[in-house]
Every structure is written in structure tokens, then in C-alpha cells.
Amino acid sequence: MILFSSLTDFLGVLILLYGFVIIAENFIHSLIRHLQVQSLILGFLILAYGIYLKDYTIIALSALTFIFRGFVVPEILIRDLKKDRAWEHRELETKAKHTLVMGIILALIGLLFYRAIYSTLQTWDAAIPFVLLLLGLLIIVMRKNAIAQISGYIVEENALLYLGLVLAPMSFLLEVGILLDIIGAVLLAVILGAEKEYGPLEIEELSG
Amino acid sequence: MEEYLIYGIIGAVAASAAVSLIPRKNVGMFANMVGAFASFFLSLSLYLHGYYTNSWFYGDTVALSLMVIITMTYLLAVLHSAVCLNDVKDFYLSPHYYWVLLPLFALSMLLAVSTPNMGYAWFWLEASTLISAALILVERGKEHVESAWRYILIASAGLGTALLSVILFGWATGTFTWVNTDVSRGVELIGVLALLGFGAKAGLFPVHTWLPDAHGTAPSPVSAMLSGALLPSALVVYYRMFTVLHSELLFHLTVIVGLLTLWVAAFLMIAQKKLKRLLAYSSMDVMGIATVGIGMSFVEPGIMRYVLILFTAHALGKSALFLSAGVLKRMGYRDIADVKNLASSPLTGFAVVVGALTVTGAPPFPMFFGEFGIVLSLSGHTLAFMALLGGILLSFLALNYHILRMLFDREQEKMHIGLKHSAVPLTAALSAILLSFLIYFSIRGWLI
């Protein structure tokens, strides 16, 4: 039990730290690699829960995370980016430094807010995914490049799976994971298709 | 018997999608027509049979009404698509995918509103986001890609918040079934997250920003389904959560969010220049009124019947308007200011007038009865009563001001829109009038 909680705490902290690394990254190549590492760590975390709870659906979810988020999504993105030399450089317009400062402030506010939630949940286990969720949303809102935004979405997905795992290991978690991965794949297909046709997609603002 | 009807509805819609996979001209269209007619009449029949529930299906009046609304909007969308899809010049996705995605969109909503499991309701709503985003991409153009991108990103981020509320719901109750369930801990937290999350999908303020873009660029039958069926479906899933949580704080918050949505939408409507964006904001204002109704169901559960009238009338009225707007867009009229002398085209003009009067709650059109019931329920709360009434009046003036200008500004030569393009909007408008009669003859019993 102590080994399990130490391991999950360690992996959780790593996932959160990678959230900050993703926020601060200007280069799209490196951003995708960081995302890949974060997803792989999440895969190990899910696997640890699956083995500890002896739940085969959770173990299947970890396999799905390794394959899809840890391998398929990053490799497709990297392969696509290699075709276009524009991506060897920084994101066309970036707010990474501002986003990092905002991220640190948001994480602190999130932790303060979580203190209020703690009286309800009676567990600190959900604090890390809760802060990670806020960071994911921040990336979506602050970054303009579509690929940077999808990284925010995947960070948010990772946080939600993590939360589901910690709070209520549920019967439909595997289905949720599959659906979220399909959405990731569709987003990816949209970006890749659109960028081939119209060049790098830089969304000015999300309000339209 | 009821079980067979349910299998029939779901089977008809699913079979339409499966048959449409055959990439031959007109196969998808005919499959969808058969599926849409069958599912609509079967859902109407199920509604008349009344309450039915089993382990995977929960069919109370709310769910059954929503099923009728979804299949009805789907039917109108299919009929109009059969005409207007030929007008699309440049496809981004192959047209036969359109016929596959349209029934899948209807199916995801049917399953979302009828499941007794909150987790699966979330699952199907999220699936509907994915499918409808693909439908926005049917036509080629950068604006379509950007709109689909914004929609899927904002709606999915919102539904992420909703998933968090569902996870907490499971944590608090030990089950994801909302039927006969009590929540004793974390009620406010779950409720606020659900309002924010499902509210994003229903176009509620302040998470409504995807709505005008998606409605504005989607093919008009898809806009009609997004507006008439998807927004109410998301609100109904929230209503399920709201009923189980039964929190006074959430009651106040829901009414406030509803009123804010109504007012913000009404102000945005005044300044609109694009026709489909105007209609999108009009949908937002109706969802605001419905949200107030859902909030008031905390005090008076019977108020939901007025919310259901609102949804039904809105689906018909907004179908008439969006489908007409789609025809105008194909003729090159995107801006409201460009559309003049629409009254010279009597069939489309009639559909637009009836549609506008219906969605703004003018008597004797059906939405009036729904709005009347909701406004009346607030009579004990003077401030909220005035705010709701004021918002309704403002949105009435905002939409009808633009519509009147489009109809009777005679600076332009006569506008000719043929019967083929007017037929489905006209059918929706006539159905709205028929619904007024049905409500008029049945509502007396409710008021006593």
C-alpha cells in the first residue's frame, strides 16, 4: 500500500511537472515530445492502478494510453511536421512565457481553490489532476497555434483520466478513454488536412 | 410493445447510417428518408404510449418528448438536404459521408436523452460534438475548418468540465445511474461543474462562444439540428443532474445563468449583421428562457411541460428559419442588410414570418404558451419576473426588427424562391401552426 501510494504520488508529480514544461515550450517538435512523455507517464500510472485494483479494464486503458497517446498521436504529428520546414523554428506567434507565469499563478489559485473542495472530497489525491486540468484549459485559451491548442486538449484529457482514476474508478472509464482518443484523432485529422490546404492554422481568438 | 418501438427507432436511424456507407449516388439520401420517417412516426407512437423504462432506457415524458423533437428535426433536415445538398459546389468531405453522419448525429442525441446513466449521457453528448463538427466540415473553406476547430475545442473543453462533474457524481453516489439516486455530499460542487460543462454544450453564457460560429458556417439542415435538437438535449442532461442534486444554491444559480444568457443574447442580436449568426443568438436566448424554466422546476416540477413546449416550438420555428436562411445564403445573401423584399417570395416569406413569430413567443404561436408558463412561475419573485419579461421583450424586438426589414424593405426587385427550396421551411412553419392548435385544445386542463 505504501509502495503503491509512493509510486502514484511520484508519477503524479512528474505528470504535473511535464504540464509546466509543455506550457513553457516554444518549439512545436519539442512540445510534441513532452506531450508524449507525459502521456507515457500517465500510462504507467494507469497501469499501476490497474495492477493494484486487479481491474483488467483499467489495464486495457493503460495499454490504450501507451499506444494511442504515447505513440500514434505524437508520431503522426512529428511525421507531418517534418514535411514542412516552417516547423523547425518556433511557433509563429507564441505567448509561452506569459502562459508559464499565468500557469504558475493559476496552479497556486487552483490549489487554494482545492483546499475549499478538500472539505467535500476529503482526499488530496485529486489535487494534482485538478491543477493539471486548469493548466490544460489555460494552454487552449492562451496559445494560438492549432497544434499547441491540441496539446492543451490532450493535457486536459490526461487530467480527466487521472481524476477518474483517483476519484471513482468507473465502469465506463475505458469507453471514456476510447472516445477521448477518437476526438484527439479527429482533431488531428482536421489540423493536418487543413494545414495541407491553408498553411499553419493560427486561430486568432476562440470567441470567433 | 414499447420495447419494440425503442428498438425500431434506434434501429431505423442506425440502419440509415449503415446503408449510407454504400458510396452510390442517392442511396444515402433514400436510406435517410426512410429512416427519418420511420424513426419520427415510431417516436411519436412511443410518446403516445407513455412512460416506459428498463435497465438501459429511461422514457419519461421529458425523454420521450425530446425523442420526438430530435427525430422531427432530423426528418426536416433530411428532406431539406435532399434539395439543398445539390447546391453545394465544393465538398471537403465526400457527400455520402454527409448522409452517414446525419443519422449518427441524431442517434447520439437520442441515446444521450434516453439513458438512465449519467456517464453514458455524457459519452453520447461528447460523441455528438464529434459528429456535428464533422458535419460542419462538409463544405470546403477555411472558415468551415476554423469554425469546426473552435466548436470541437470549446465544446470538448466544456464537456471535460461536465465529465468532471460526472466523475464526482459517481464518487458521491457510488453509481452513475441518476434514477432513484440521492446525493448527500459535494452537491454544490457537482452542480456548478455540471452547469458550466453541459451549459457550454447548450450555449449558455459565458461559455457560448462556439455557438454563432458553428451555426453560422454549418450547412443549414445541420444548423437546424444543432439549434433545434442538440441544445435542448444538452439542457435535458443537465436537468437530470439538477433534479437529482436538488440544491437551493443550484436553483438560484441556474435561474441567474438563464437570465444572463437571455439578456446577453438579446443584446448581441440587436447588433448582428449576418443572418445565420442572428438566428444562432436567437437559439441562445431561447435556451436562456428554458434554463430559467429548468431552474424553476426546483420549486414547481410541473413547469417542465412548458419547457418541453418551448423546445418543440423552437425546433419547428428555428428549422423554418435556418432552412430559409440556407436557401438565401446559396443565393448569395449572407448579410441581413442584403436581404430585401423577401415578402415578394410568398412561401419563404410566410415560413420566415411564422418561424420568427414562433421563436420569439408571439401569441398565438406555440412558444407563447411555454414562455407564458415559465414567466408565470416567477410571479412570486418580482425581480426575476421583471428580468425575464424584459429579456423576452428585448429579444422579441431584436429578432423581429431584423426580420421585418428583410421582408418589407422594397429597395430591391422581387425575390424569387421556387417551391422546391421553400417546401421544407414551409412544412416546418405549418407544423408550428398545427402545434398551436394542439396546445390550445389541450392546455386548459393544465391551467386549472
Side-chain angles (χ1 to χ4, degrees):
Chain A
M1 176 66 191
I2 295 170
L3 178 69
F4 171 72
S5 62
S6 304
L7 181 69
T8 51
D9 286 350
F10 174 67
L11 292 174
V13 170
L14 274 183
I15 289 172
L16 183 63
L17 285 177
Y18 259 100
F20 284 107
V21 174
I22 290 166
I23 282 183
E25 188 55 71
N26 281 325
F27 290 89
I28 296 286
H29 269 117
S30 310
L31 178 76
I32 295 162
R33 289 297 179 208
H34 294 322
L35 206 59
Q36 185 172 25
V37 175
Q38 191 192 49
S39 300
L40 287 172
I41 300 170
L42 179 74
F44 281 115
L45 183 77
I46 298 172
L47 183 65
Y49 268 93
I51 293 169
Y52 181 72
L53 298 170
K54 294 186 180 74
D55 188 329
Y56 292 110
T57 56
I58 294 179
I59 293 172
L61 182 65
S62 77
L64 192 78
T65 309
F66 280 127
I67 295 166
F68 197 79
R69 278 173 226 202
F71 182 73
V72 176
V73 171
E75 289 308 320
I76 292 176
L77 276 172
I78 290 287
R79 194 174 297 176
D80 184 65
L81 295 184
K82 277 180 182 167
K83 289 176 193 165
D84 195 339
R85 292 183 66 82
W87 294 117
E88 286 175 6
H89 306 287
R90 286 165 183 252
E91 194 177 326
L92 294 183
E93 193 178 336
T94 178
K95 288 182 179 172
K97 282 179 188 164
H98 296 96
T99 316
L100 180 63
V101 176
M102 289 278 289
I104 293 168
I105 296 168
L106 190 69
L108 292 172
I109 293 170
L111 275 176
L112 283 174
F113 187 64
Y114 190 85
R115 283 176 72 90
I117 300 175
Y118 176 77
S119 59
T120 307
L121 296 181
Q122 295 295 320
T123 173
W124 283 104
D125 289 350
I128 289 177
F130 180 74
V131 171
L132 195 64
L133 182 74
L134 297 178
L135 295 184
L137 290 171
L138 183 75
I139 298 171
I140 294 174
V141 174
M142 291 292 285
R143 302 290 276 264
K144 285 184 176 178
N145 178 269
I147 294 177
Q149 286 177 338
I150 199 178
S151 72
Y153 178 71
I154 293 175
V155 168
E156 191 203 346
E157 274 184 4
N158 286 347
L160 284 167
L161 281 185
Y162 190 170
L163 265 170
L165 209 63
V166 169
L167 285 177
M170 44 187 164
S171 51
F172 75 102
L173 195 62
L174 183 63
E175 287 96 317
V176 169
I178 293 168
L179 183 72
L180 291 176
D181 283 344
I182 293 172
I183 291 168
V186 170
L187 282 171
L188 202 61
V190 170
I191 295 172
L192 299 185
E195 291 195 340
K196 264 180 201 146
E197 210 159 328
Y198 308 110
L201 209 57
E202 300 267 317
I203 307 290
E204 275 306 308
E205 51 180 16
L206 284 171
S207 57
Chain B
M1 176 64 185
E2 286 87 348
E3 199 157 355
Y4 290 115
L5 289 172
I6 297 162
Y7 287 131
I9 296 164
I10 290 168
V13 182
S16 305
V19 174
S20 302
L21 281 169
I22 301 167
R24 285 205 181 157
K25 204 184 170 191
N26 295 337
V27 169
M29 186 180 78
F30 286 119
N32 270 268
M33 278 190 180
V34 173
F37 271 111
S39 59
F40 174 61
F41 287 110
L42 289 172
S43 58
L44 209 56
S45 169
L46 185 63
Y47 177 82
L48 296 173
H49 270 82
Y51 180 88
Y52 177 77
T53 178
N54 62 25
S55 60
W56 63 274
F57 179 87
Y58 188 82
D60 62 346
T61 312
V62 175
L64 297 180
S65 305
L66 256 291
M67 288 179 83
V68 173
I69 292 169
I70 293 163
T71 51
M72 176 184 74
T73 323
Y74 169 49
L75 175 62
L76 291 169
V78 167
L79 291 174
H80 196 69
S81 299
V83 177
C84 77
L85 208 61
N86 296 324
D87 300 335
V88 177
K89 299 279 184 297
D90 198 5
F91 283 95
Y92 188 73
L93 291 179
S94 166
H96 90 274
Y97 283 123
Y98 177 84
W99 293 113
V100 176
L101 291 167
L102 208 61
L104 286 180
F105 184 27
L107 185 65
S108 60
M109 290 186 285
L110 285 170
L111 293 169
V113 298
S114 62
T115 174
N117 185 308
M118 198 46 82
Y120 284 112
W122 174 87
F123 180 91
W124 289 117
L125 270 186
E126 183 68 309
S128 75
T129 306
L130 197 62
I131 299 162
S132 48
L135 280 164
I136 294 170
L137 281 169
V138 162
E139 205 170 345
R140 192 178 294 275
K142 194 176 182 187
E143 59 169 348
H144 292 268
V145 176
E146 288 191 359
S147 299
W149 180 252
R150 270 196 201 99
Y151 168 47
I152 202 165
L153 212 60
I154 297 170
S156 294
L159 281 173
T161 315
L163 177 61
L164 181 55
S165 76
V166 172
I167 291 168
L168 288 171
F169 181 84
W171 162 83
T173 60
T175 173
F176 289 95
T177 308
W178 53 264
V179 182
N180 300 324
T181 303
D182 287 320
V183 185
S184 54
R185 52 184 183 159
V187 170
E188 277 81 16
L189 179 64
I190 298 169
V192 171
L193 289 170
L195 180 59
L196 206 64
F198 292 114
K201 189 77 180 164
L204 300 186
F205 177 80
V207 271
H208 62 279
T209 51
W210 64 271
L211 191 119
D213 253 17
H215 283 65
T217 49
S220 49
V222 178
S223 302
M225 280 182 79
L226 280 171
S227 178
L230 183 63
L231 304 184
S233 299
L235 268 188
V236 160
V237 174
Y238 171 68
Y239 165 70
R240 300 301 194 196
M241 189 77 103
F242 177 81
T243 315
V244 176
L245 296 173
H246 202 72
S247 147
E248 194 166 346
L249 174 85
L250 202 56
F251 151 59
H252 290 297
L253 209 60
T254 306
V255 172
I256 290 168
V257 168
L259 289 171
L260 281 173
T261 304
L262 170 64
W263 275 90
V264 169
F267 275 116
L268 287 169
M269 276 159 72
I270 296 170
Q272 275 317 297
K273 291 188 170 116
K274 304 267 182 209
L275 179 56
K276 286 182 83 178
R277 288 177 78 92
L278 170 76
L279 299 179
Y281 284 121
S282 158
S283 301
M284 187 179 152
D285 98 56
V286 176
M287 291 309 122
I289 302 167
T291 306
V292 174
I294 287 174
M296 290 310 293
S297 71
F298 176 81
V299 186
E300 173 54 61
I303 211 79
M304 274 312 284
R305 64 177 62 146
Y306 296 106
V307 176
L308 293 175
I309 293 176
L310 205 74
F311 285 155
T312 317
H314 174 249
L316 287 169
K318 206 46 73 67
S319 294
L321 286 170
F322 266 120
L323 299 181
S324 303
V327 174
L328 291 169
K329 194 177 167 186
R330 296 278 162 235
M331 293 168 71
Y333 302 110
R334 283 174 177 239
D335 290 354
I336 298 165
D338 293 341
V339 186
K340 287 171 178 143
N341 208 2
L342 185 60
S344 63
S345 178
L347 298 179
T348 305
F350 179 76
V352 168
V353 169
V354 173
L357 291 175
T358 301
V359 298
T360 49
F365 291 96
M367 195 180 285
F368 169 75
F369 298 103
E371 286 184 356
F372 185 73
I374 295 169
V375 170
L376 217 59
S377 73
L378 275 172
S379 55
H381 310 73
T382 316
L383 206 61
F385 176 83
M386 296 302 288
L388 182 62
L389 204 60
I392 289 173
L393 281 173
L394 187 64
S395 70
F396 176 88
L397 292 172
L399 183 68
N400 286 312
Y401 163 70
H402 289 300
I403 297 291
L404 281 175
R405 276 182 57 198
M406 283 164 49
L407 283 163
F408 300 113
D409 198 331
R410 301 211 182 266
E411 283 175 28
Q412 190 172 286
E413 292 283 302
K414 281 188 176 179
M415 192 179 265
H416 179 72
I417 301 170
L419 177 65
K420 194 171 80 168
H421 286 89
S422 312
V424 183
L426 191 67
T427 309
L430 291 173
S431 307
I433 294 172
L434 178 69
L435 185 66
S436 306
F437 283 108
L438 286 175
I439 293 171
Y440 178 76
F441 287 115
S442 62
I443 203 166
R444 278 179 303 171
W446 302 0
L447 294 176
I448 291 166

